[in-house]
Each structure stands twice: as C-alpha cells, then as structure tokens.
Amino acid sequence: MAWAAVDPADEASWLRYIAQAEELCQTARTKSADTAFRYLERFRDAELKALGVTAEPLAVGAPGLSVPGELEGALSSYGPGYVNRLVANGVPLEEAKRLAMSGQIGDATGYVLRSGRKVVADGINRDRRCIGWRRVCSGAACSFCAMLASRGAIYKTEATARGSRGASLSVHGKGTAKGGEVHRACQCHMEPVYSHRSRPTPQERHYDAVWREAGGDPIQFRRLIEGRA
C-alpha cells in the first residue's frame, strides 16, 4: 500500500501502510547487516595483511530483529498526526503528505542502516586487533558529520595499545563514543583502524583544511561546507 493511498483520517489505512513498510524495511535491515559483515570481514583482512598480520577470524554478533512497533514509532512523527497539523495550518493535503513522506524516508533510512552500524560497532568493540575507528562520510555530508570526520581516527583509549579494555563504540544513545554519533538519515559509517601509523584519509584532510579555514568556528565551517561562504 503506497503512502499516497493513506487517508490521514483513517487509522486502518495507516496501520496497513505500516505493516507493509515493516516487511520491506526488515528485509532491508537484513541486507544492511549482511553487507556490513562482508565489508568488515574483507576490510579487516586487507588491512591486517598490509600490516603483515595473520589474524584469527572475527566473530561478530547478529544485530537481532527489530522490536515490534519500532518502525511505527520511528515513522509516527511524520504520520497522519503530522499531516493533519500541517493541513490545519493551511498547507494543502498533497503538499502535507509530500513533506511527511520526506520525513519518513529520513527516519526509515536510519532504521534500516542501524542494523549494519551495529554489526560494525560490535566488530570494532570485539576485535582486539582493532585500536579505534574513523568516520567516513557520504558525498554530501552535513557540517556536523564533516566536523566529526575532520578529527580523524578516534582511538579506543591509550590503554588499548597496552592490551587493556578501551572505550566502546555505540551507534546511538548516551553511550555513543566520541566521533560515532549519527543523526536521522545519516549515511556515515565507521571504519575500523588497526594501526597508530594510520594516515589521514583524503576526506579527513579536506575537512580538516576547511575547519582550519573556518578558524575553528562551527558556524563558519557550516557555511563553507554548504558553499555559502
């Protein structure tokens, strides 16, 4: 059932829409987790081989199924209630539904990608060979993500180099490690780091140069990232 067929005044049409969206998104979440595992496995093998290390296979925990009602909770901010509020303020119904759809896409993106992010975060946390991570942005990163990426590699802690337990990487919530934060519709991912000799990537060097050009001012940095300076 397409969003266009949902009647904001008919709760049953919204529930039918959610049921179909959950089926589609659960399939996408599974693909997200599978893709993340393959990425992590191949990237780790290539990086450790370059360091001359033959490492044991990495065991990564499955992200698990979504909680019942989780997707509806994620999309409800842009559901019928949102549409009705816009219409009550004079926005035409079709335009209100278009705006709602845009919001839903952002929330659904985060919902789907979260399972893949959990796989990578779990791999980073469990892997004793991994000493940290770096943020890799999409081609159209917002200034928040670009600022975090400009910091380069984030190490678990200095204690990691001595073999003791360091900081862990989470994908959301207050426990999120510095540099691992994500926002709704964020398309960044975390890339494992296996050596303190790891050099900044071209993307990190670019964002760092922009940060320096902005004089460390977040507002000016945003203007430069958005091409408004």
Side-chain angles (χ1 to χ4, degrees):
M1 179 180 180
W3 169 244
V6 174
D7 179 357
D10 179 13
E11 184 179 5
S13 68
W14 165 251
L15 294 177
R16 289 193 296 272
Y17 169 73
I18 286 295
Q20 293 189 357
E22 283 182 337
E23 183 177 353
L24 291 171
C25 286
Q26 187 57 52
T27 299
R29 279 171 64 93
T30 300
K31 290 182 178 179
S32 173
D34 290 344
T35 301
F37 178 78
R38 290 196 301 272
Y39 153 76
L40 187 61
E41 186 177 49
R42 294 174 184 177
F43 183 84
R44 179 177 186 263
D45 286 348
E47 289 290 296
L48 293 179
K49 183 178 180 180
L51 293 171
V53 176
T54 302
E56 66 286 349
L58 176 64
V60 178
L65 297 175
S66 58
V67 177
E70 184 180 358
L71 179 61
E72 182 179 5
L75 300 185
S76 61
S77 296
Y78 294 96
Y82 175 81
V83 173
N84 290 332
R85 288 193 297 273
L86 291 181
V87 171
N89 287 322
V91 178
L93 177 59
E94 291 307 311
E95 175 64 10
K97 291 186 71 174
R98 186 191 68 78
L99 293 171
M101 183 76 266
S102 177
Q104 288 181 32
I105 290 173
D107 286 335
T109 297
Y111 174 81
V112 167
L113 294 181
R114 192 174 303 130
S115 61
R117 288 192 177 111
K118 285 182 178 179
V119 168
V120 174
D122 186 58
I124 288 173
N125 293 336
R126 291 188 182 205
D127 190 358
R128 66 185 183 85
R129 302 281 184 182
C130 179
I131 62 173
W133 62 89
R134 58 168 30 95
R135 188 184 198 91
V136 178
C137 297
S138 68
C142 68
S143 60
F144 170 77
C145 292
M147 179 185 66
L148 293 177
S150 74
R151 298 172 179 172
I154 306 294
Y155 296 103
K156 291 180 179 179
T157 63
E158 287 301 317
T160 304
R162 300 193 298 271
S164 57
R165 184 173 177 82
S168 61
L169 173 62
S170 177
V171 292
H172 59 80
K174 293 182 179 180
T176 301
K178 183 178 180 181
E181 302 90 336
V182 295
H183 56 80
R184 61 178 299 276
C186 183
Q187 296 187 37
C188 296
H189 72 272
M190 303 305 136
E191 180 180 282
V193 174
Y194 299 96
S195 171
H196 282 285
R197 298 191 300 274
S198 176
R199 296 181 178 180
T201 65
Q203 184 181 79
E204 289 169 352
R205 291 196 297 269
H206 168 68
Y207 287 143
D208 180 61
V210 176
W211 179 255
R212 292 174 184 275
E213 182 181 348
D217 180 356
I219 296 176
Q220 179 63 10
F221 181 73
R222 180 176 180 179
R223 292 194 184 106
L224 290 169
I225 291 294
E226 295 177 351
R228 295 188 290 113

